[in-house]
Amino acid sequence: MQSTLKGPSPDLAGWTDERNGAMVRVVVREMKSAAPLGTAAPGEAVQVALGACVEELFGAGTKLARASLLGGGASMEAWAVDAETPRGPVALLVRRAAGGRIYRDALSLAQEFRVLEAAWDAGVRGREAFAMERLPGETVGRRIVQRPELEAARAALPGQMAEQLARIHGLVAARLDFLPGARDEEPLRRSLDVLEAQLDEVGEPHPAIELALLRLRRDLPRGGPRRVCHGDFRLGNLMVCAGGLTGVLDWEFAHVGDPREDLAWPMVRAWRFGREQLRLGGIAQPGVFLERYGQLTGLRVAPEELRVFELLGNLRWAIGALTQARRHLSGEERSVELAVLGRLAAEVEHELLSLLHEGGA
């Protein structure tokens, strides 16, 4: 990971571009040497590695004030890191692989970093490194849809989400030719092949998922628009404060595909967090979101056009949940969180059947 950051963030003012670039390289080196997930004391090992890292980066006298593992994220860890430096406090966010992948096409950290660089250049909100400014705000979807102090944010989010997604879909795919789907004539067909192979690896029958695969092979449009897609654009991967959206997170599923995949993904029922009647992430109906996106991109999409992509989204999440559950059941990584995902897969299968019924399966 040799890329250099494009400029210091406001909270890191005074640290040069070269220093920020070195930060990424040193953090990656130190974190690789720390204990992997599932060993005796991974948290302690990571804290020791980070303590040495921040002193090397910011000079003698720098102390690690806090390093805590943030909640959420079954395939990637996020660490909140506070350091006391000779020039004042620094708040960082460090991203670290957690030892497993939800989907075969998930990007490596080095590739995800390259996508973040391109997104930063395009003006997408967030920071483009894996040792980066820690933005203020909330990421837990259930809190975002429920907390009274975020009511104004919920009103602003549909338009803001559309604006950020328009920027993402405007990224130049040629710059990111390593992305899954970048060299495929029919990226959607390729993604179905990959998902079917991943389902086969689960090693048990799931008729609802198999039926959905058959329907998608029949009904997904061919020859549609091709764009760089975020791949996981939803509440839970958006940083939200009182004024609305402050950052777009978790780019490991970026790929080249149909932009309607990203438009439908936040409408998957699992991302409504209990507010089922509000189809867009439990915060609103999709009208404003789609209208604003159409104004910015020229791609006008009706809500009913996204039903087949909503089916695709539920299929992806069902297979992803089963894959994560297998990590627990196989003994690869014992985790209550991963085990719970196996239970959630059944709920997603029920949603698949409901969508198939609506479509006349």
Side-chain angles (χ1 to χ4, degrees), residues 8 16 70 77 109 121-122 126 159 193 248 282 307 337 340:
T16 65
L70 302 177
E77 296 176 5
L109 280 172
D121 288 342
D193 292 341
V248 180
R307 281 297 185 183
E337 181 180 6
V340 167

Side-chain angles (χ1 to χ4, degrees), residues 2 13 21 29 50 116 155 163 197 257 266 269 276 291 294 301-302 310 331 342 348 355:
Q2 296 299 314
R29 186 188 72 227
L50 284 170
L116 283 166
E163 290 162 7
R269 187 178 296 274
E276 312 294 346
E291 177 62 26
V301 181
E310 189 177 332
V348 185
L355 291 169

Side-chain angles (χ1 to χ4, degrees), residues 105 180-193 223-227 255-258 261:
D105 281 345
R183 295 184 173 88
D184 294 286
E185 292 185 6
E186 292 283 350
L188 282 176
R189 305 295 150 180
R190 176 191 175 281
S191 67
L192 290 180
D193 292 341
R226 292 166 57 95
R227 301 286 188 275
H255 64 281
V256 173
D258 193 305
E261 297 176 61

Side-chain angles (χ1 to χ4, degrees), residues 219-235:
D219 290 352
L220 272 177
R222 294 181 178 272
R226 292 166 57 95
R227 301 286 188 275
V228 172
C229 297
H230 180 276
D232 204 3
F233 192 85
R234 61 173 178 86
L235 262 65

Side-chain angles (χ1 to χ4, degrees), residues 191-254:
S191 67
L192 290 180
D193 292 341
V194 172
L195 287 168
E196 185 170 10
Q198 195 166 331
L199 177 62
D200 289 342
E201 291 178 356
V202 172
E204 58 192 31
H206 287 275
I209 299 177
E210 293 163 14
L211 182 59
L213 267 169
L214 288 172
R215 170 56 64 88
L216 288 165
R217 289 195 180 279
R218 188 192 78 181
D219 290 352
L220 272 177
R222 294 181 178 272
R226 292 166 57 95
R227 301 286 188 275
V228 172
C229 297
H230 180 276
D232 204 3
F233 192 85
R234 61 173 178 86
L235 262 65
N237 289 333
L238 304 177
M239 183 74 77
V240 178
C241 67
L245 193 153
T246 61
V248 180
L249 312 176
D250 289 5
W251 294 72
E252 63 187 292
F253 304 135

Side-chain angles (χ1 to χ4, degrees), residues 49-73:
L50 284 170
C53 173
V54 295
E55 183 171 12
E56 179 179 345
L57 289 169
F58 298 108
T62 297
K63 300 296 183 184
L64 181 68
R66 179 178 75 108
S68 60
L69 181 63
L70 302 177

Side-chain angles (χ1 to χ4, degrees), residues 1-346:
M1 191 180 300
Q2 296 299 314
S3 301
T4 300
L5 305 194
K6 301 303 180 187
S9 66
D11 286 352
L12 298 179
W15 301 107
T16 65
D17 290 355
E18 291 74 18
R19 173 75 68 175
N20 283 342
M23 184 190 303
V24 176
R25 292 191 288 275
V26 173
V27 168
V28 169
R29 186 188 72 227
E30 296 290 344
M31 294 289 273
K32 278 184 176 178
S33 68
L37 214 66
T39 56
E44 180 181 349
V46 171
Q47 296 212 24
V48 170
L50 284 170
C53 173
V54 295
E55 183 171 12
E56 179 179 345
L57 289 169
F58 298 108
T62 297
K63 300 296 183 184
L64 181 68
R66 179 178 75 108
S68 60
L69 181 63
L70 302 177
S75 64
M76 288 287 176
E77 296 176 5
W79 288 78
V81 176
D82 292 311
E84 295 295 337
T85 81
R87 297 165 64 179
V90 173
L92 302 171
L93 182 74
V94 175
R95 192 154 158 79
R96 181 191 188 218
R101 297 195 306 170
I102 299 178
Y103 302 112
R104 279 186 173 184
D105 281 345
L107 303 181
S108 68
L109 280 172
Q111 291 173 327
E112 189 177 348
F113 178 76
R114 290 176 62 186
V115 178
L116 283 166
E117 282 189 306
W120 171 258
D121 288 342
V124 178
R125 293 184 182 180
R127 298 296 172 188
E128 76 279 24
F130 291 153
M132 51 191 167
E133 177 191 0
R134 197 169 70 243
L135 295 170
E138 179 61 74
T139 60
V140 178
R142 193 166 296 277
R143 296 175 188 165
I144 293 170
V145 304
Q146 292 178 349
R147 288 192 168 176
E149 64 269 27
L150 294 177
E151 182 177 358
R154 290 192 288 272
L157 273 172
Q160 293 172 338
M161 289 169 63
E163 290 162 7
Q164 295 305 303
L165 205 52
R167 289 179 183 270
I168 293 168
H169 292 169
L171 296 178
V172 179
R175 180 179 173 182
L176 304 167
D177 59 358
F178 59 86
L179 288 178
R183 295 184 173 88
D184 294 286
E185 292 185 6
E186 292 283 350
L188 282 176
R189 305 295 150 180
R190 176 191 175 281
S191 67
L192 290 180
D193 292 341
V194 172
L195 287 168
E196 185 170 10
Q198 195 166 331
L199 177 62
D200 289 342
E201 291 178 356
V202 172
E204 58 192 31
H206 287 275
I209 299 177
E210 293 163 14
L211 182 59
L213 267 169
L214 288 172
R215 170 56 64 88
L216 288 165
R217 289 195 180 279
R218 188 192 78 181
D219 290 352
L220 272 177
R222 294 181 178 272
R226 292 166 57 95
R227 301 286 188 275
V228 172
C229 297
H230 180 276
D232 204 3
F233 192 85
R234 61 173 178 86
L235 262 65
N237 289 333
L238 304 177
M239 183 74 77
V240 178
C241 67
L245 193 153
T246 61
V248 180
L249 312 176
D250 289 5
W251 294 72
E252 63 187 292
F253 304 135
H255 64 281
V256 173
D258 193 305
R260 290 171 289 187
E261 297 176 61
D262 274 349
L263 290 169
W265 186 246
M267 299 179 199
V268 169
R269 187 178 296 274
W271 317 135
R272 299 180 199 170
F273 302 101
R275 302 184 73 183
E276 312 294 346
Q277 73 281 11
L278 298 176
R279 192 175 165 202
L280 180 66
I283 58 170
Q285 298 302 337
V288 171
F289 171 65
L290 296 178
E291 177 62 26
R292 181 60 178 151
Y293 179 85
Q295 291 171 354
L296 293 168
T297 65
L299 180 61
R300 303 284 179 172
V301 181
E304 56 271 18
E305 186 180 342
L306 294 178
R307 281 297 185 183
V308 68
F309 290 95
E310 189 177 332
L311 182 66
L312 174 62
N314 278 277
L315 175 86
R316 284 186 62 216
W317 180 225
I319 294 174
L322 289 172
T323 300
Q324 292 293 74
R326 294 303 301 174
R327 287 168 56 193
H328 169 77
L329 294 171
S330 68
E332 175 187 349
E333 180 185 334
R334 291 294 185 182
S335 163
V336 172
E337 181 180 6
L338 295 178
V340 167
L341 287 175
R343 171 66 181 86
L344 291 178

